[in-house]
Protein backbone atom coordinates (compact mmCIF):
# COMPACT_ATOMS: atom_id res chain seq x y z
CA UNK A 1 0.00 0.00 0.00
CA UNK A 2 1.51 3.24 -1.16
CA UNK A 3 0.37 6.76 -1.80
CA UNK A 4 0.66 6.15 -5.55
CA UNK A 5 0.40 2.94 -7.53
CA UNK A 6 2.03 2.41 -10.92
CA UNK A 7 -0.13 1.12 -13.75
CA UNK A 8 1.03 -1.39 -16.32
CA UNK A 9 1.34 1.38 -18.91
CA UNK A 10 3.72 3.38 -16.67
CA UNK A 11 1.10 5.86 -15.44
CA UNK A 12 0.17 6.44 -11.82
CA UNK A 13 -3.09 6.35 -9.85
CA UNK A 14 -3.94 7.28 -6.28
CA UNK A 15 -3.03 4.39 -4.01
CA UNK A 16 -4.97 3.01 -1.07
CA UNK A 17 -2.85 4.84 1.50
CA UNK A 18 -3.54 8.26 -0.03
CA UNK A 19 -7.22 7.37 -0.53
CA UNK A 20 -7.48 6.46 3.16
CA UNK A 21 -5.88 9.74 4.24
CA UNK A 22 -8.12 11.78 1.94
CA UNK A 23 -11.25 10.08 3.29
CA UNK A 24 -10.41 11.44 6.76
CA UNK A 25 -10.58 15.08 5.60
CA UNK A 26 -13.50 16.80 7.35
CA UNK A 27 -14.44 19.12 4.45
CA UNK A 28 -17.59 17.90 2.75
CA UNK A 29 -18.45 15.22 5.32
CA UNK A 30 -21.70 16.96 6.34
CA UNK A 31 -22.80 17.23 2.73
CA UNK A 32 -21.74 13.68 1.90
CA UNK A 33 -23.66 12.31 4.87
CA UNK A 34 -26.84 14.35 4.28
CA UNK A 35 -27.15 13.98 0.50
CA UNK A 36 -27.20 10.19 -0.17
CA UNK A 37 -30.86 9.53 0.73
CA UNK A 38 -31.97 12.27 -1.68
CA UNK A 39 -29.52 11.14 -4.33
CA UNK A 40 -30.78 7.56 -4.00
CA UNK A 41 -34.39 8.73 -4.42
CA UNK A 42 -33.44 10.59 -7.61
CA UNK A 43 -31.45 7.61 -8.82
CA UNK A 44 -34.42 5.27 -8.32
CA UNK A 45 -36.84 7.60 -10.10
CA UNK A 46 -34.63 8.64 -13.03
CA UNK A 47 -32.43 5.61 -13.59
CA UNK A 48 -29.66 8.08 -14.49
CA UNK A 49 -26.35 9.14 -13.01
CA UNK A 50 -26.77 11.42 -10.00
CA UNK A 51 -23.94 13.85 -9.31
CA UNK A 52 -23.26 16.00 -6.25
CA UNK A 53 -20.72 18.77 -6.73
CA UNK A 54 -19.60 22.00 -5.08
CA UNK A 55 -18.13 25.16 -6.60
CA UNK A 56 -14.41 25.73 -6.21
CA UNK A 57 -13.36 28.83 -8.09
CA UNK A 58 -14.36 28.49 -11.74
CA UNK A 59 -14.78 24.72 -11.47
CA UNK A 60 -17.04 22.20 -9.79
CA UNK A 61 -15.56 19.41 -7.67
CA UNK A 62 -17.52 16.17 -7.80
CA UNK A 63 -18.19 15.14 -4.19
CA UNK A 64 -20.38 12.08 -4.76
CA UNK A 65 -21.77 10.10 -7.69
CA UNK A 66 -24.34 7.37 -8.10
CA UNK A 67 -23.94 5.57 -11.41
CA UNK A 68 -26.58 3.92 -13.54
CA UNK A 69 -25.86 1.02 -15.88
CA UNK A 70 -28.22 2.11 -18.64
CA UNK A 71 -27.25 5.80 -18.59
CA UNK A 72 -24.90 7.52 -21.00
CA UNK A 73 -21.21 7.01 -20.33
CA UNK A 74 -19.64 9.87 -18.38
CA UNK A 75 -16.00 10.45 -17.55
CA UNK A 76 -16.64 12.19 -14.25
CA UNK A 77 -15.16 10.70 -11.08
CA UNK A 78 -15.49 11.58 -7.41
CA UNK A 79 -12.81 14.14 -6.60
CA UNK A 80 -12.62 15.18 -10.24
CA UNK A 81 -13.06 18.72 -11.49
CA UNK A 82 -15.54 19.90 -14.10
CA UNK A 83 -15.92 23.29 -15.75
CA UNK A 84 -18.86 25.36 -14.53
CA UNK A 85 -19.52 26.56 -18.07
CA UNK A 86 -20.44 23.78 -20.48
CA UNK A 87 -21.54 21.06 -18.07
CA UNK A 88 -24.99 20.41 -16.66
CA UNK A 89 -23.82 20.26 -13.07
CA UNK A 90 -21.93 23.52 -13.59
CA UNK A 91 -25.00 25.28 -14.99
CA UNK A 92 -27.10 24.02 -12.05
CA UNK A 93 -24.53 25.38 -9.58
CA UNK A 94 -24.09 28.69 -11.40
CA UNK A 95 -27.83 29.32 -11.50
CA UNK A 96 -27.75 30.06 -7.77
CA UNK A 97 -24.23 31.48 -7.36
CA UNK A 98 -24.01 35.29 -7.54
CA UNK A 99 -20.35 36.37 -7.59
CA UNK A 100 -19.08 33.12 -9.08
CA UNK A 101 -21.68 33.38 -11.86
CA UNK A 102 -20.44 36.84 -12.88
CA UNK A 103 -16.83 35.64 -12.98
CA UNK A 104 -17.73 32.55 -15.02
CA UNK A 105 -19.80 34.53 -17.51
CA UNK A 106 -16.95 36.97 -18.05
CA UNK A 107 -14.86 34.15 -19.54
CA UNK A 108 -17.65 32.35 -21.42
CA UNK A 109 -17.50 32.12 -25.21
CA UNK A 110 -21.30 31.85 -25.40
CA UNK A 111 -22.28 34.20 -22.56
CA UNK A 112 -25.75 34.95 -24.00
CA UNK A 113 -26.56 31.24 -24.32
CA UNK A 114 -25.27 30.55 -20.80
CA UNK A 115 -27.42 33.41 -19.44
CA UNK A 116 -30.52 31.87 -21.08
CA UNK A 117 -29.75 28.45 -19.56
CA UNK A 118 -29.20 29.99 -16.12
CA UNK A 119 -32.42 32.00 -16.39
CA UNK A 120 -34.37 28.86 -17.31
CA UNK A 121 -33.00 27.00 -14.29
CA UNK A 122 -33.77 29.92 -11.95
CA UNK A 123 -37.21 30.71 -13.40
CA UNK A 124 -38.57 27.19 -13.79
CA UNK A 125 -37.16 26.11 -10.44
CA UNK A 126 -36.54 22.59 -11.63
CA UNK A 127 -34.82 21.89 -14.88
CA UNK A 128 -33.96 18.34 -15.83
CA UNK A 129 -33.15 17.91 -19.48
CA UNK A 130 -30.64 16.08 -21.62
CA UNK A 131 -30.19 17.91 -24.88
CA UNK A 132 -27.55 18.55 -27.48
CA UNK A 133 -25.19 20.96 -25.77
CA UNK A 134 -25.86 24.47 -27.13
CA UNK A 135 -22.42 25.67 -26.05
CA UNK A 136 -19.69 25.45 -28.69
CA UNK A 137 -16.56 23.39 -28.05
CA UNK A 138 -18.04 21.47 -25.11
CA UNK A 139 -19.43 17.94 -24.63
CA UNK A 140 -22.05 17.08 -27.27
CA UNK A 141 -24.84 16.60 -24.69
CA UNK A 142 -25.62 18.11 -21.31
CA UNK A 143 -28.01 17.27 -18.50
CA UNK A 144 -28.99 19.93 -16.01
CA UNK A 145 -30.94 19.72 -12.79
CA UNK A 146 -31.58 22.19 -10.02
CA UNK A 147 -34.00 22.27 -7.12
CA UNK A 148 -36.41 25.14 -6.54
CA UNK A 149 -35.67 27.05 -3.35
CA UNK A 150 -38.58 27.05 -0.95
CA UNK A 151 -40.12 30.44 -0.27
CA UNK A 152 -41.27 31.33 3.20
CA UNK A 153 -44.72 32.78 3.62
CA UNK A 154 -44.80 35.89 5.77
Amino acid sequence: MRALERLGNGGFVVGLQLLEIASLAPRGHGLRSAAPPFMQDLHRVTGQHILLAVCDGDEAVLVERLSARGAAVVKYRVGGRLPLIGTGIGIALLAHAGRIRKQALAGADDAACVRRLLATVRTDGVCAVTVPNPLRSRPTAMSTGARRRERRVR
Side-chain angles (χ1 to χ4, degrees):
M1 275 194 296
R2 298 191 172 178
L4 296 175
E5 295 177 5
R6 185 181 294 268
L7 298 173
N9 65 5
F12 290 92
V13 295
V14 171
L16 291 177
Q17 185 179 26
L18 190 55
L19 182 62
E20 181 182 17
I21 291 168
S23 71
L24 299 173
R27 185 172 185 209
H29 277 216
L31 184 59
R32 288 188 72 198
S33 64
F38 301 100
M39 294 176 69
Q40 290 164 358
D41 288 348
L42 280 170
H43 190 262
R44 248 187 314 280
V45 170
T46 65
Q48 298 296 313
H49 303 300
I50 305 300
L51 307 177
L52 176 65
V54 295
C55 288
D56 186 30
D58 61 351
E59 297 177 307
V61 177
L62 191 59
V63 176
E64 192 62 77
R65 170 185 164 175
L66 295 179
S67 297
R69 286 185 206 159
V73 175
V74 294
K75 298 177 183 177
Y76 310 140
R77 60 177 173 71
V78 172
R81 294 182 171 269
L82 305 112
L84 291 175
I85 299 291
T87 61
I89 193 84
I91 295 297
L93 289 168
L94 282 174
H96 300 287
R99 183 178 47 84
I100 296 169
R101 180 174 57 238
K102 289 177 186 168
Q103 291 170 349
L105 285 172
D109 294 337
D110 304 342
C113 183
V114 173
R115 279 190 191 92
R116 284 192 302 275
L117 288 170
L118 296 174
T120 299
V121 171
R122 285 191 309 272
T123 303
D124 294 350
V126 176
C127 177
V129 295
T130 300
V131 297
N133 193 340
L135 304 173
R136 294 185 294 273
S137 71
R138 301 295 180 180
T140 57
M142 78 183 324
S143 296
T144 303
R147 182 176 176 268
R148 180 187 311 256
R149 292 184 179 184
E150 298 298 323
R151 294 191 179 137
R152 292 185 177 181
V153 178
R154 291 183 184 188

